[in-house]
Each structure stands twice: as C-alpha cells, then as structure tokens.
Amino acid sequence: MNANEKFIAAKAHVDEAAIAPLPNSRKIYVEGSRPDIRVPMREISQADTPASFGAEQNPPIFVYDCSGPYSDPAAKIDIRSGLPALRQQWIEERADTELLPDLSSEFGRQRAADKSLDELRFPGLHRKPRRAKAGANVSQMHYARRGIITPEMEYVAIRENLNREQYIASLRASGGLKGQKMADMMLRQHPGQNFGASLPATITPEFVRDEIARGRAIIPNNINHPESEPMIIGRNFLTKINANIGNSAVTSSIAEEVDKMTWSIRWGGDTVMDLSTGKNIHETREWIIRNSPVPIGTVPIYQALEKVNGKAEDLTWEIFRDTLIEQAEQGVDYFTIHAGVLLRYVPLTANRMTGIVSRGGSIMAKWCLAHHKESFLYEHFEDICEIMKAYDVAFSLGDGLRPGSIYDANDEAQLGELKTLGELTEIAWRHDVQVMIEGPGHVPLQLIKENMDLQLEWCKEAPFYTLGPLTTDIAPGYDHITSGIGAATIGWYGTAMLCYVTPKEHLGLPNKQDVKEGIITYKLAAHAADLAKGHPGAQIRDNALSKARFEFRWEDQFNLGLDPDKAKEFHDETLPKDSAKVAHFCSMCGPHFCSMKITQDVRDFAAQQGIDEAEALKKGMEVKSIEFVKSGAEVYRNV
Ligand code: IRN
C-alpha cells in the first residue's frame, strides 16, 4: 500500500506527534458574552522559584493557540467526520444565507458524480454549500460598516488580549515573597517603536469592528468553513504567520497534506495555504478544510491551469469563475488573485535578473502575451467581488511581479503592480469585500522600509502579507533564515502577516521537518516584530522565560519556548541527567563561568554585607578574578 492508500484505509488516523500535548501545557477556554464564544488559549504552568532565589510562586503564562481541538484531550477527533462546526449557529442567526440544493460549480458537480473517486472522497457529513441570499453581502467588512459587532469580532478581540487581565490577576494573587514587585517586573515592557500603528492597551470588540470597517484588518472566514476559529490579520494586532502546504505533480498524497496541516497548526501556523498542483486537488482540499480550525487560503489559478492541462493560453474567465465558485463552496477563506499583472507591466520584467518568479504571475503574464489582451482577472475584477461577498472570501491580491532576487528588488515592475493593487483594493472596498495585499520576495534590508511605506500609502493601509522577504540570495538551504531576518524587519514596520519560507525554498517540496523549521522561524520573527511595536503584553512571555533562565528553572525555560522539544534535546545532549535540570550552569560555560550564577552570588554577597549591588559587583569581580586565575584550565574538567 502506498501512503495514500494506507490513509484512506485508516481514515481516522491523525499523526500522534501532532496531537501529543506540549509539556506542562493545558488548553483553556475564555468565555465571551455568550456561552458559544469559547476562545482557546494554551496555559503553560511553571515551577516555583528555588529557595536560593526567593521561593516565589510563578504564575502560569497564556499563549496564543492555533491548534484547535487537536490539542484538547476532551475533543474526539476523527478526521473522517471533520471538526465541529463552531460558527454554524452564528452564520445561521444572521439569516442572510441560504442552503443550495447542490454544488453550483460545473466542476464540483462533475467530481461529486464521479464514482471512481469514492475512495478518495471525504466521507464525513456532507455539508450542502451555503451562499448569501440574493442581494445580500455576508462579509465581515459589510457587517462592520453597518456598525454590527459579530461573534467573530468579539472572539478575535478576546483572542488578541491573550487573557491578559486574567494573567495579571493571577500574578497579583500569587503573592510570593516579593509580591507586587514581581508582578511589576513580569509586566514591565519596553514601549516599542510602532511606525504609525496605534495599538490600544486592550483590544475591544469595538476596536476590531472599527479596524475591519476601515479595511485595516480582515477576518478570513468563509461561511462554508464553519469549523474555523476566527482570527484577525491587521497591523494593529499580533503579527500572524502563514504556512504553505500542498502536493505537486511529483510528490505527496492526501494523507501527507492533512498531516502537514495538523502539524503546522501545532507549531503556530495562523493560516494554512493549500497550494496543491498535483492529483486530486479538489478532494485533497476537502479533507484539509473539513479538518482545519485555521483559515485556508488557495491560489485558484493553479487549479484552473490543471483544468486546461497546464496550457496557460487556454485559460478563460469562465473556467476561472467556475473554479472560484467551486472553492468558495468548499470553504476556502482567502484567494490569492494575481489581478495586478497587467499587460503593460510584462515587458518591464525583460531586463530583470530573475524575470517573473511568481507561479500565478507567470501564468497570467503568459496568458496576456499569448492573447495580447488585458488580464481577465483585471477585466472581471468586479465580477470576482460579487463572488467574494456571497461567501465572505477575502482577497489576497497576489504579487505576481515580486522580485525574485536582490538585484530586482523595488523595481518598476514590482512597484507598478503594487500601485494597481491599491486601485483594486478601492474597488473591492466599494463592494465591502475584505482585502490583504501580497508582497515580496527578495529585498535587501535597506529597501524594506520603502517597500512597506509605499504599500501603506498606495493600498490605503490594507493589511500587507509578505513572503519573507529574503534579505540575501547567497544561502540556499538556509532561506528560512535569510527571509526570517526580512520578515521580522517588515513585520516591525507594519506587515500584518508573514508567509513562511522553509529551508527547502528554491530546492524542493518541504517535508514535515521543514514545515516545523519554517514555522518556528516565522513565529520568532513575528514575535520579534510584536515586541518592537510594543504590542501590549507581548513581552510577558519573554520576561517569564528570562526569569526562569536566571533562576535555573531549566524545564520552565524549555517549556516557555517556541520549541520545547528542541531546547530540551540540545540541553540533554551534554547534560542528560535529571540533576542537571536544577544545576546552576549548563555545558556552555561550566559551573564556574556562568554569568547568571555569578550575578546571583554577587547579589547574595551584597545582601550579606549590607552593601549595594554596584559596590558588591566591584568587590565580587575582584574575588572572581582571583578564583579565575586559580582555577584556570581545571574548569572544564568539573563539568
Ligand atoms: C505571499 C506573499 N507573496 C506571495 N505569497 C505567497 O506565495 C502566496 O500567498 C502563495 O502562498 C505563494 C505562491 O504564490 P505565487 O508564486 O503563485 O505568486
């Protein structure tokens, strides 16, 4: 049996590694104004501070949790039936949608009728597709502009606050020896420099509504994906990350793609894009959406191209439109649409080092040149808006002309397209359709700010969603890092969502390990941006981890990190014994050179002598220097 056949045979299978609880973590839910608004968070508990550091209680830390029911031991997961339809009630209550008797896309109907596909088909409860009633607009932007705060908006407001009030309360209540002082220390945050963003101390549902109404944030949640837990993308909120998965003609199966989705959200993927271009795209997507608690994005032109056997010039508006409807009725939450690749921009790429590197962009450029006509995506943009608002699919306006090398960064083709994306944003907003804008690509550090500033100006602050950018081209195999640097920088300047890049970028289809590596790299880039912007509460986790590190609470240091498994594995490589988990040193500096241990000695010394820390430091340093000279090369033998 190949991997796909095994999966189809088992069907209930979820990769154990993707659902095992993270250490010392518990899933909690914060209830909103009604009992069915239950916002998930991960609570990480900590050990008490050892007596030598003052024997305090350390309160639990709450972190954002994208993993959905997979990390809830009380949830019964069977991927054959899909996840519970969390938002169904909210959608129905609005009474502005209707169930369709059948799929309305031609292709969807054909696939449904094809008996030979039965084995591959998602077997769970068949959801009839839903669409807006005639004349209705079901986008969150439409509700927001009419002053309505939806349950989705309240949900994301609670989610963005990371339960900060509860955290502060538990911190104060925990008392400990230093009580109030510890609370203040844990909460102290640097003000950050936020380049024009306006971050409120507490995110309220009203603030969320306002940001969506003015187009500065989006909640991607198609009415046909009621399984999704609402999340928000906008520069006045936590920076989000997207993970790309999907098969190619060369490799991977439905099983592997569902596994990659659950794996991505375990490590913190806020959204997942299914970029499948291989076999059974329709069925693969159905399995992914029905089992995904995070929004799913796609690039519909990829599937449209499959339908015309890979011949870009054979694409038509009708085939594309049918594909949009097919995917909207399955529940795709946002579509990448490369409508800014205009005929007149294509010649501007002739003198580039790396031409057009976007898959969608190159397909559209080829079509425009073959027909010598303006792109049908551009010409039919208002028709596309009509489809988007009938299901609440958000636009992710594609950057088909993004630079694919440092040499091409911020050139005329790229910036011409960006301007057009700004014009299209205004058209979409006239239809109350949610929009984000895709960005590059490859950009050296010194050009990143200019790129961000132009996007804010031309696209009227619609959320920017960038692929990195890679800040140098010289490290194939390490492009998660070359791009993570750019991602943190552009995130700080105001990008709302960062599309991950894995170590396999430019080299091959990522496997599960690459997916994890890419996600962790992007989580840290996003968090670095949140710290720099001064997002309220972002620093709490840093403070907690640093305190654990200083107090040699090794297990807490691992558990509070983005990748507890790797931290523990690295530590245990040289000091595997349990006794090392309370030791006041690690194998990096050994027992005599640990700066944290020395600082603590200095503080104790100061307390004993009744002198201040600065004086003690001076004295302590003298003592240490004598110790240093005496111990010399002996040190490492003691480790
Ligand atoms: C994000 C920002 N710019 C591009 N992206 C993502 O790149 C896009 O959302 C999609 O997931 C991926 C490939 O897009 P192209 O190559 O078709 O443009």
Side-chain angles (χ1 to χ4, degrees):
M1 273 206 252
N2 66 27
N4 207 34
E5 284 161 350
K6 257 195 249 159
F7 170 71
I8 299 304
K11 282 185 180 168
H13 154 90
V14 184
D15 187 3
E16 280 300 314
I19 54 174
L22 287 165
N24 276 12
S25 292
R26 185 169 76 102
K27 191 157 187 112
I28 60 150
Y29 294 92
V30 179
E31 205 176 292
S33 64
R34 43 189 279 179
D36 62 352
I37 299 184
R38 295 176 72 235
V39 182
M41 281 168 205
R42 179 159 68 96
E43 183 190 277
I44 310 173
S45 57
Q46 305 191 74
D48 291 348
T49 296
S52 54
F53 289 95
E56 291 157 340
Q57 279 178 358
N58 292 296
I61 299 294
F62 301 95
V63 298
Y64 198 99
D65 183 1
C66 308
S67 59
Y70 295 98
S71 54
D72 185 346
K76 291 195 182 37
I77 309 264
D78 180 344
I79 57 173
R80 290 169 300 188
S81 34
L83 298 179
L86 170 79
R87 297 191 301 117
Q88 192 69 35
Q89 179 68 20
W90 308 343
I91 295 162
E92 283 176 19
E93 273 171 15
R94 294 194 273 259
D96 51 5
T97 58
E98 59 191 1
L99 279 181
L100 298 174
D102 201 356
L103 296 169
S104 42
S105 68
E106 183 62 35
F107 185 82
R109 278 203 302 274
Q110 274 172 23
R111 293 300 277 198
D114 186 342
K115 290 275 168 249
S116 72
L117 296 170
D118 279 356
E119 268 304 283
L120 289 177
R121 223 186 295 285
F122 175 74
L125 170 79
H126 175 65
R127 286 186 202 291
K128 289 217 181 301
R130 204 169 260 286
R131 192 171 57 196
K133 285 182 179 163
N137 180 339
V138 297
S139 81
Q140 292 289 320
M141 184 179 220
H142 188 64
Y143 303 130
R145 287 183 164 178
R146 286 187 298 153
I148 298 169
I149 294 176
T150 61
E152 285 89 340
M153 296 174 200
E154 183 185 336
Y155 190 103
V156 300
I158 298 171
R159 208 171 187 186
E160 290 287 317
N161 283 320
L162 282 179
N163 210 5
R164 205 161 166 258
E165 283 82 17
Q166 187 175 327
Y167 173 71
I168 294 169
S170 70
L171 198 54
R172 303 244 182 258
S174 75
L177 290 183
K178 297 174 195 154
Q180 198 69 21
K181 187 173 166 226
M182 181 175 84
D184 294 342
M185 185 177 91
M186 294 289 284
L187 290 171
R188 206 174 77 205
Q189 171 146 357
H190 295 290
Q193 191 184 353
N194 65 24
F195 297 99
S198 44
L199 311 169
T202 306
I203 306 280
T204 60
E206 179 54 36
F207 180 73
V208 170
R209 190 204 60 74
D210 193 54
E211 290 289 292
I212 292 174
R214 61 199 290 175
R216 212 151 54 181
I218 66 170
I219 299 182
N221 57 352
N222 184 329
I223 53 168
N224 287 310
H225 186 194
E227 300 89 348
S228 73
E229 296 175 345
M231 53 80 72
I232 192 160
I233 304 170
R235 76 186 165 116
N236 288 331
F237 301 94
L238 292 165
T239 309
K240 304 303 187 298
I241 68 159
N242 168 67
N244 286 338
I245 60 167
N247 66 8
S248 75
V250 184
T251 177
S252 140
S253 61
I254 292 181
E256 285 168 78
E257 297 316 315
V258 174
D259 270 359
K260 274 189 215 160
M261 182 273 291
T262 51
W263 188 238
S264 304
I265 61 178
R266 171 185 177 80
W267 297 111
D270 292 287
T271 74
V272 166
M273 288 195 77
D274 174 16
L275 301 186
S276 292
T277 54
K279 273 198 279 178
N280 307 314
I281 299 179
H282 180 91
E283 290 67 31
T284 305
R285 189 167 49 233
E286 187 71 27
W287 280 92
I288 293 174
I289 295 175
R290 298 285 72 87
N291 285 293
S292 172
V294 302
I296 297 294
T298 60
V299 188
I301 201 82
Y302 297 173
Q303 194 191 0
L305 187 71
E306 286 297 321
K307 293 179 184 174
V308 293
N309 303 315
K311 288 186 81 182
E313 54 278 26
D314 289 353
L315 281 166
T316 61
W317 158 242
E318 288 71 23
I319 289 171
F320 186 75
R321 183 190 55 199
D322 197 62
T323 309
L324 289 185
I325 294 171
E326 173 199 340
Q327 298 198 9
E329 291 189 354
Q330 281 188 303
V332 174
D333 301 284
Y334 62 93
F335 288 153
T336 293
I337 298 195
H338 299 85
V341 180
L342 301 187
L343 182 60
R344 67 176 184 275
Y345 296 149
V346 181
L348 300 179
T349 62
N351 292 326
R352 278 181 159 186
M353 171 80 81
T354 45
I356 298 177
V357 296
S358 149
R359 289 202 277 196
S362 60
I363 296 166
M364 288 317 298
K366 195 167 173 206
W367 188 93
C368 289
L369 290 183
H371 296 271
H372 208 80
K373 266 196 189 156
E374 196 49 276
S375 148
F376 58 81
L377 301 177
Y378 184 76
E379 299 278 288
H380 284 277
F381 195 74
E382 304 233 19
D383 298 325
I384 300 176
C385 291
E386 294 296 336
I387 297 172
M388 306 298 257
K389 66 190 185 198
Y391 303 93
D392 196 9
V393 184
F395 273 113
S396 185
L397 291 175
D399 56 338
L401 300 178
R402 66 173 170 270
S405 53
I406 292 296
Y407 183 87
D408 294 340
N410 290 13
D411 72 354
E412 229 187 318
Q414 182 198 340
L415 298 182
E417 179 190 46
L418 185 62
K419 229 178 197 159
T420 301
L421 297 185
E423 288 157 23
L424 295 172
T425 300
E426 288 190 288
I427 297 174
W429 284 352
R430 286 210 288 277
H431 290 263
D432 292 353
V433 171
Q434 308 191 84
V435 181
M436 60 181 169
I437 309 289
E438 296 192 359
H442 293 240
V443 186
L445 279 170
Q446 76 279 11
L447 297 184
I448 290 181
K449 180 123 192 346
E450 178 193 33
N451 199 159
M452 185 72 234
D453 291 346
L454 291 175
Q455 190 274 343
L456 288 174
E457 186 191 333
W458 293 343
C459 302
K460 316 283 177 314
E461 301 187 77
F464 205 22
Y465 161 41
T466 60
L467 184 56
L470 286 76
T471 50
T472 167
D473 297 340
I474 65 163
Y478 295 86
D479 279 330
H480 56 314
I481 300 179
T482 61
S483 67
I485 295 167
T489 310
I490 206 160
W492 179 20
Y493 296 152
T495 286
M497 183 154 84
L498 308 168
C499 185
Y500 87 169
V501 172
T502 74
K504 286 273 169 63
E505 185 72 17
H506 303 118
L507 304 171
L509 193 72
N511 61 24
K512 267 176 74 175
Q513 191 46 39
D514 304 318
V515 167
K516 178 176 171 187
E517 203 75 15
I519 290 188
I520 301 282
T521 309
Y522 271 65
K523 277 312 254 194
L524 65 90
H527 185 71
D530 290 338
L531 284 176
K533 289 202 294 189
H535 193 289
Q539 204 182 309
I540 290 174
R541 188 173 181 178
D542 296 72
N543 292 350
L545 195 146
S546 302
K547 188 169 184 284
R549 181 177 283 157
F550 189 76
E551 294 171 0
F552 297 102
R553 286 183 280 119
W554 291 99
E555 299 280 359
D556 289 344
Q557 188 190 163
F558 310 150
N559 298 343
L560 289 164
L562 291 176
D563 185 355
D565 302 346
K566 190 171 199 169
K568 187 167 178 344
E569 193 187 307
F570 279 12
H571 175 269
D572 290 2
E573 210 173 284
T574 46
L575 293 173
K577 289 194 194 134
D578 274 356
S579 58
K581 304 286 190 318
V582 289
H584 284 195
F585 61 89
C586 73
S587 64
M588 185 167 166
C589 306
H592 294 291
F593 286 96
C594 177
S595 56
M596 302 235 176
K597 168 85 176 76
I598 294 171
T599 311
Q600 186 56 29
D601 290 348
V602 168
R603 286 187 181 171
D604 291 346
F605 183 69
Q608 271 169 22
Q609 309 265 316
I611 51 177
D612 74 9
E613 248 179 64
E615 178 66 10
L617 261 176
K618 204 166 147 258
K619 282 199 179 174
M621 283 305 179
E622 283 160 17
V623 174
K624 282 288 156 196
S625 81
I626 296 166
E627 257 181 40
F628 175 79
V629 172
K630 271 198 208 149
S631 61
E634 297 292 311
V635 166
Y636 286 96
R637 260 181 253 152
N638 294 334
V639 176

